[in-house]
Amino acid sequence: MNAAAESAQAAFRSWRETSAMSRQQVMFKLQHLIKENMLGETLGSVSKDMDTYTFREPLGVCAGVTPFNFPAMIPLWPSEMDPGACMMLVQLAKEAGVPDGVLNVIHGQKEAVDFVCDHPYIRAISFVGSDRVGKYIYERGSANGKRVQSNMLVGAAFGAAGQRCMALSTVIFVGKAKEWLPEIVERARKLKVNEGTQPGTDLGPLISTSAKHRVCELVQSGVTEGAKLLLDGRGIKVPGYEKGNFVGPTVLAEVKPDMKCYTEEIFGPVLVAMNVDSLDEAIEVINKNPYGNGTAIFTTSGAAARKFQNQVDVGQIGINVPIPVPLPMFSFTGSRGSFRGDTHFYGKQGVQFYTQVKTITSLWKQEDIRFILIQNRAGKTRLAKWYMQFVDEEKQKLIEEVHALVTIRDAKHTNFVAFRDFKIVYRRYAGLYFCVCVDLEDNNLAYLEAIHNFVEVLNEFFQNVCELDLVFNFYKVYCVVDEMFLGGEIRETSQQRVLQQLQHLNTLD
């Protein structure tokens, strides 16, 4: 097993550098081989009159365990910490006609989470929130057989007071780029902090007193471990809200990868700044971080951008874009420690998460054989096997028409002839007409061979079959028909096997 894993890892290093054209040719060849083996989501005529196809249907009852940020911007993100916007949206959904029970909201903490993870009616759980809670939900929900997607948040910088999963939390300056830091500090110092209702507000309060306390503790841990505090927003006071949960823009510089302020999510308006000498070092720092929600590079070099996007192991990458959140038609593809599960949020993967595939194999049978008749020259029917529904009057009419059609044909004619919308394939033997009614386009030779095999079996069993054998042993003849023509189709069997069946019937007589 180790050899397989090590082999795959070694191959990955060279395969990722293989050109798109070369990889494309391999995939085209694979596609060709797959097509040769008739694989697909929809396949018509897998057998005669049979199709196989798949479609997606709703999975069932699904639950979301959601964070407090953006309760109105993202309507399905309710939280007990800011329930007002969510409940107003739910009321609007009700007014719009969403039936009772389709959309339900539970406000709560661990007890509510355990309920969602354990209840048998809930088939899937989608979570956005902290790393610790995300791992708990993923493990408990998965243990109960539920489909779980868990996006764990990593800290952010100043927007939304740093309380959003995809804003910048750490900046890595490469070489001389660290000279931009004083300008960043001055711009951050000018950001306006208040309760959020005044025009021009840049930052509002944190969600709770405990959140403020945690942010301040992490900032202090950075100072204690040797980081430089270039801008301290912990002591900010907003007039009229002196006891509010406010933290102003904060910048920590010369942070090292082992510092607590870097290894733990801050989720507040704190920018952590690190310095490296090269792009390779920056990529190494990013890849050693256990999280992988998003990252961004700011550069004027296309070569640097391509190297970054190809070598960074992060699910979402921005190139001169600070917040690489995709539009809803694309999936939210956080990776590594930032995500648990196998299907991401929204886009095509979001549809896949909330649905399941159903495969249908359908058979709408159009029988090959309509009926089989064995008649003598005088028109007496010795065997009639019907594979379509006919009333008795229609059966008698068919018997008479078939007899009139085949008995006037002499040996110079072919052994098949059009009949109504079908055709009759027949063979004369021992004063009898063995007739099969099939579709016009069906293979004449296949049915002539089947009739021949049928006669050969009767000949072998009865030692030169004659009409009286059919009269006095009709149930055995019907047995031969059922062995050789099953459900209106020629059955794949052998004369020897059919004869064995007849011998067995003899022992029962």
Side-chain angles (χ1 to χ4, degrees):
M1 290 185 287
N2 284 331
E6 290 166 5
S7 175
Q9 179 64 19
F12 174 68
R13 285 192 287 269
S14 59
W15 179 248
R16 73 187 297 177
E17 298 300 330
T18 303
S19 71
M21 292 298 294
S22 297
R23 284 184 284 176
Q24 183 183 64
Q25 291 305 311
V26 173
M27 298 312 296
F28 279 154
K29 185 175 180 180
L30 176 60
Q31 180 188 53
H32 173 71
L33 292 172
I34 290 172
K35 285 182 177 179
E36 281 189 341
N37 289 276
M38 304 285 289
L39 298 178
E41 288 294 312
T42 301
L43 187 59
S45 299
V46 293
S47 182
K48 183 171 175 60
D49 304 320
M50 184 179 292
D51 303 311
T52 296
Y53 55 94
T54 62
F55 61 87
R56 287 195 169 273
E57 63 178 11
L59 181 64
V61 178
C62 299
V65 180
T66 55
F68 60 83
N69 54 347
F70 308 113
M73 182 178 176
I74 306 176
L76 292 181
W77 275 15
S79 170
E80 80 285 352
M81 301 182 76
D82 50 2
C86 167
M87 298 312 295
M88 285 187 282
L89 288 167
V90 170
Q91 182 59 40
L92 292 175
K94 183 177 178 65
E95 292 178 14
V98 175
D100 291 346
V102 172
L103 177 62
N104 304 276
V105 177
I106 300 173
H107 295 295
Q109 297 183 337
K110 185 177 183 301
E111 183 181 358
V113 168
D114 289 346
F115 171 84
V116 167
C117 291
D118 297 341
H119 198 284
Y121 285 173
I122 296 173
R123 300 281 303 278
I125 305 170
S126 179
F127 170 79
V128 177
S130 70
D131 181 77
R132 180 179 59 84
V133 178
K135 290 178 180 177
Y136 176 82
I137 291 174
Y138 181 80
E139 291 170 2
R140 184 160 181 157
S142 297
N144 287 319
K146 303 183 188 304
R147 185 181 294 181
V148 183
Q149 58 178 197
S150 183
N151 195 100
M152 280 80 85
L153 306 181
V154 182
F158 306 133
Q163 299 169 109
R164 58 184 180 188
C165 62
M166 287 298 294
L168 296 174
S169 59
T170 301
V171 58
I172 303 175
F173 293 106
V174 179
K176 293 183 178 181
K178 63 185 177 183
E179 296 173 3
W180 298 342
L181 191 53
E183 182 180 349
I184 291 174
V185 171
E186 288 308 309
R187 290 194 179 192
R189 196 189 309 275
K190 295 175 182 178
L191 294 176
K192 186 176 181 180
V193 181
N194 60 43
E195 84 285 0
T197 60
Q198 296 181 23
T201 298
D202 295 304
L203 281 76
L206 296 177
I207 188 65
S208 65
T209 303
S210 60
K212 176 182 177 180
H213 180 71
R214 185 176 183 281
V215 169
C216 293
E217 278 192 340
L218 285 171
V219 171
Q220 184 57 45
S221 74
V223 174
T224 302
E225 292 177 337
K228 290 185 177 181
L229 186 58
L230 302 183
L231 181 62
D232 188 356
R234 290 176 293 176
I236 193 169
K237 300 293 182 182
V238 175
Y241 301 92
E242 286 76 9
K243 295 183 179 180
N245 303 318
F246 294 96
V247 174
T250 300
V251 179
L252 283 166
E254 298 185 19
V255 172
K256 305 300 180 185
D258 58 348
M259 292 184 179
K260 188 176 180 181
C261 62
Y262 173 72
T263 60
E264 292 196 15
E265 59 175 353
I266 297 178
F267 218 55
V270 180
L271 181 64
V272 172
M274 306 172 74
N275 301 326
V276 296
D277 293 328
S278 67
L279 179 59
D280 287 329
E281 289 182 66
I283 291 172
E284 183 180 1
V285 170
I286 293 169
N287 288 344
K288 284 184 177 180
N289 190 300
Y291 298 101
N293 233 5
T295 186
I297 183 173
F298 295 87
T299 180
T300 57
S301 168
R306 291 190 74 254
K307 179 175 183 177
F308 185 79
Q309 73 181 37
N310 291 332
Q311 295 187 11
V312 164
D313 185 12
V314 173
Q316 298 171 120
I317 297 173
I319 297 176
N320 297 326
V321 175
I323 304 176
V325 176
L327 293 171
M329 66 282 294
F330 297 94
S331 292
F332 189 100
T333 53
S335 61
R336 295 191 289 149
S338 295
F339 184 78
R340 295 287 180 93
D342 56 7
T343 308
H344 285 280
F345 298 86
Y346 54 77
K348 288 184 178 179
Q349 293 194 40
V351 173
Q352 292 169 1
F353 180 78
Y354 289 106
T355 60
Q356 60 187 354
V357 174
K358 180 175 285 185
T359 300
I360 308 298
T361 301
S362 65
L363 174 65
W364 294 100
K365 195 166 184 60
Q366 181 177 358
E367 278 76 14
D368 291 336
I369 302 175
R370 270 44 187 180
F371 55 83
I372 297 174
L373 297 176
I374 302 178
Q375 300 173 298
N376 64 17
R377 181 168 288 278
K380 191 70 175 179
T381 301
R382 296 308 183 189
L383 179 143
K385 183 74 173 181
W386 305 95
Y387 296 100
M388 290 184 67
Q389 295 294 324
F390 297 105
V391 298
D392 289 343
E393 290 182 1
E394 181 66 11
K395 287 179 180 179
Q396 185 57 41
K397 189 174 181 181
L398 288 167
I399 288 171
E400 294 172 359
E401 290 181 8
V402 170
H403 177 262
L405 182 64
V406 299
T407 54
I408 63 172
R409 295 170 64 85
D410 56 32
K412 70 179 181 181
H413 290 99
T414 58
N415 289 80
F416 49 89
V417 59
F419 173 71
R420 295 191 178 182
D421 294 329
F422 312 110
K423 66 182 173 186
I424 301 296
V425 182
Y426 66 96
R427 180 184 175 187
R428 292 182 294 270
Y429 185 82
L432 296 169
Y433 291 86
F434 294 79
C435 304
V436 179
C437 179
V438 297
D439 289 338
L440 284 168
E441 68 273 14
D442 281 350
N443 190 321
N444 298 319
L445 293 178
Y447 288 102
L448 285 171
E449 183 180 1
I451 294 172
H452 172 78
N453 289 335
F454 178 63
V455 171
E456 288 289 309
V457 169
L458 295 180
N459 260 342
E460 181 73 20
F461 183 71
F462 292 114
Q463 300 299 311
N464 294 323
V465 66
C466 66
E467 186 174 350
L468 288 178
D469 292 322
L470 273 66
V471 173
F472 295 111
N473 298 279
F474 67 90
Y475 68 94
K476 293 180 182 177
V477 178
Y478 271 99
C479 174
V480 176
V481 171
D482 288 338
E483 283 293 319
M484 302 189 74
F485 304 95
L486 180 65
E489 291 186 346
I490 300 172
R491 188 176 184 183
E492 293 185 5
T493 187
S494 65
Q495 292 184 18
Q496 187 62 36
R497 180 174 177 178
V498 179
L499 286 168
Q500 289 174 354
Q501 288 291 102
L502 288 173
Q503 295 294 346
H504 178 66
L505 283 176
N506 265 352
T507 63
L508 299 176
D509 286 347

